[in-house]
Amino acid sequence: MINNWKQQVLEEAGSLFEKGSEPTKVDESQQAQINALYRQIGQLKVERDFLAIPKRNGGTRVLGVPTVGEVVKRMLEPVLEPVFDENSYGYRPRRSAHDAIAVTRKRCWQYDWVVEFDIQGLFDNINHDLLMKALRHHCQCRWVLLYVERWWKAPRQEPDGTLTQRSQGTPQGGVVSPLLANLFLHDAFDAWVRREMPRVPFCRYADDGLLHCRSRRQAEYVMTRLTERFRECGLEINPDKSTIVYCKDRNRREEHEVVSFDFLGFRFRPRRCVDRGGNIHPNFPRKRRRPRHLGL
């Protein structure tokens, strides 16, 4: 399958040689130019530019931009997209955060409890061996595997010029990194939940996710299993952004400490509502959080 997409990439690349030409076929001259370009790319040394930017809550985020990442992404995405779960919404074509918000809103009415989790430093802690194992399972194209492995092994150049060897992680900033992160979490989380807890619906957007439960006991069990699972995969849950939430409204009136959560810029919490009969009651819809003021 991936060879068919390689041919499509070549044909579309051929259209770039002549402005305005249709990206359907290439002549022999253009094909020869493309083949020569691929031979040159194959001889290139893989390099990566790194840039450290400050985080809002302290620390830094390392951005890395691979040189031929866009080509690899276009090769891999059609192969991996059919594999990904329908409840995964982050960094995927024709899916958005609003889709994740819509399905979350419906499930909060159907289920009393929510397990909210955030993975701490996902892009910095992805295990290379586990990800390569998953990638080889779905992709047999040797040059794609070669370049992905080269990117991971490429050292990071610090501001003082020294080189730091890397043994894990896929830096943010590269066009392939979100796709590879989704593949890693598909095996580490999505497929695992489907297999181990098939009756627990979930929604994931990149490294943020929710699982919906019927009772607090079930929610505590899910949180324990989830923490153990991520630890097995070399990841840790962020304790400050992960919790168990009670979806309180007029039909669910128990008193619990946590009755709200934030997900993708929206706050889910009990709000004062008026029904068709004019009765005032609490409900559990979403509310858009106030936009943060960003300093220049």
Side-chain angles (χ1 to χ4, degrees), residues 34-53:
I34 295 173
N35 292 339
L37 178 61
Y38 264 88
R39 286 195 297 270
Q40 293 175 17
I41 291 176
Q43 297 171 0
L44 289 177
K45 176 183 177 182
V46 173
E47 298 178 352
R48 185 198 291 270
D49 294 327
F50 287 90
L51 174 65
I53 62 174

Side-chain angles (χ1 to χ4, degrees), residues 96-130:
S96 69
H98 290 282
D99 296 327
I101 291 297
V103 71
T104 297
R105 186 185 188 192
K106 293 179 181 179
R107 288 172 178 170
C108 284
W109 292 335
Q110 299 170 350
Y111 294 82
D112 295 351
W113 296 86
V114 172
V115 175
E116 176 192 12
F117 72 88
D118 175 86
I119 301 174
Q120 188 165 340
L122 169 64
F123 287 89
D124 297 329
N125 295 292
I126 290 180
N127 185 287
H128 289 177
D129 294 334
L130 293 179

Side-chain angles (χ1 to χ4, degrees), residues 15 30 60 88 93 111 119 124 126 128 143 169 172 174 193-194 201 209 211 225 242 258-259 263 294:
S15 67
Q30 291 174 333
T60 59
S88 169
Y111 294 82
I119 301 174
D124 297 329
I126 290 180
H128 289 177
W143 74 266
Q172 299 182 55
V193 174
R194 290 284 192 186
L211 299 98
R225 291 289 309 276
S242 304
V258 182
V259 293
F263 185 54
L294 302 178

Side-chain angles (χ1 to χ4, degrees), residues 28-292:
E28 294 182 1
S29 175
Q30 291 174 333
Q31 186 67 58
Q33 288 178 293
I34 295 173
N35 292 339
L37 178 61
Y38 264 88
R39 286 195 297 270
Q40 293 175 17
I41 291 176
Q43 297 171 0
L44 289 177
K45 176 183 177 182
V46 173
E47 298 178 352
R48 185 198 291 270
D49 294 327
F50 287 90
L51 174 65
I53 62 174
K55 290 184 177 180
R56 185 165 56 93
N57 59 349
T60 59
R61 174 177 287 110
V62 180
L63 303 183
V65 185
T67 54
V68 291
E70 183 62 34
V71 177
V72 173
K73 177 177 179 290
R74 294 181 64 184
M75 295 286 287
L76 276 178
E77 193 170 65
V79 176
L80 297 181
E81 263 300 310
V83 176
F84 291 155
D85 196 275
E86 62 181 359
N87 289 290
S88 169
Y89 294 91
Y91 306 116
R92 297 184 61 187
R94 297 176 297 277
R95 288 174 173 264
S96 69
H98 290 282
D99 296 327
I101 291 297
V103 71
T104 297
R105 186 185 188 192
K106 293 179 181 179
R107 288 172 178 170
C108 284
W109 292 335
Q110 299 170 350
Y111 294 82
D112 295 351
W113 296 86
V114 172
V115 175
E116 176 192 12
F117 72 88
D118 175 86
I119 301 174
Q120 188 165 340
L122 169 64
F123 287 89
D124 297 329
N125 295 292
I126 290 180
N127 185 287
H128 289 177
D129 294 334
L130 293 179
L131 185 49
M132 282 303 300
K133 180 179 179 181
L135 187 59
R136 290 191 182 99
H137 178 72
H138 299 289
C139 171
Q140 289 76 43
C141 184
R142 291 184 297 176
W143 74 266
V144 170
L145 299 173
L146 172 66
Y147 276 105
V148 170
E149 196 164 15
R150 283 183 179 179
W151 289 333
W152 289 335
K153 293 181 179 179
R156 180 174 66 246
Q157 186 172 14
E158 305 295 346
D160 60 359
T162 59
L163 297 178
T164 302
Q165 298 298 325
R166 299 166 51 250
S167 59
Q168 61 183 18
T170 173
Q172 299 182 55
V175 294
V176 187
S177 294
L179 183 62
L180 296 177
N182 265 337
L183 175 61
F184 187 85
L185 287 181
H186 172 78
D187 288 344
F189 175 75
D190 302 351
W192 176 80
V193 174
R194 290 284 192 186
R195 182 175 64 254
E196 299 292 330
M197 297 180 288
R199 296 185 178 181
V200 177
F202 69 90
C203 174
R204 181 178 64 80
Y205 192 97
D207 56 353
D208 297 323
L210 306 170
L211 299 98
H212 299 265
C213 302
R214 296 290 185 186
S215 65
R216 182 176 183 86
R217 181 178 179 181
Q218 184 187 32
E220 291 174 345
Y221 169 79
V222 168
M223 179 65 86
T224 300
R225 291 289 309 276
L226 191 62
T227 302
E228 294 173 351
R229 173 60 178 175
F230 282 139
R231 193 166 293 146
E232 291 174 358
C233 299
L235 301 174
E236 292 288 340
I237 287 180
N238 189 333
D240 297 329
K241 298 181 180 180
S242 304
T243 188
I244 296 175
V245 183
Y246 179 63
C247 302
K248 185 177 181 180
D249 58 21
R250 66 175 177 179
N251 297 319
R252 299 173 289 193
R253 302 183 180 183
E254 298 179 16
E255 294 295 331
H256 294 277
E257 182 179 359
V258 182
V259 293
S260 68
F261 65 91
D262 296 334
F263 185 54
L264 303 178
F266 287 86
R267 174 159 294 172
F268 290 77
R269 65 177 178 84
R271 297 181 61 198
R272 182 175 177 270
C273 297
V274 180
D275 61 20
R276 295 179 180 179
N279 301 312
I280 300 175
H281 63 88
N283 202 350
F284 201 80
R286 73 188 195 279
K287 180 181 179 181
R288 190 72 170 91
R289 293 174 59 189
R290 291 182 179 179
R292 296 193 296 265

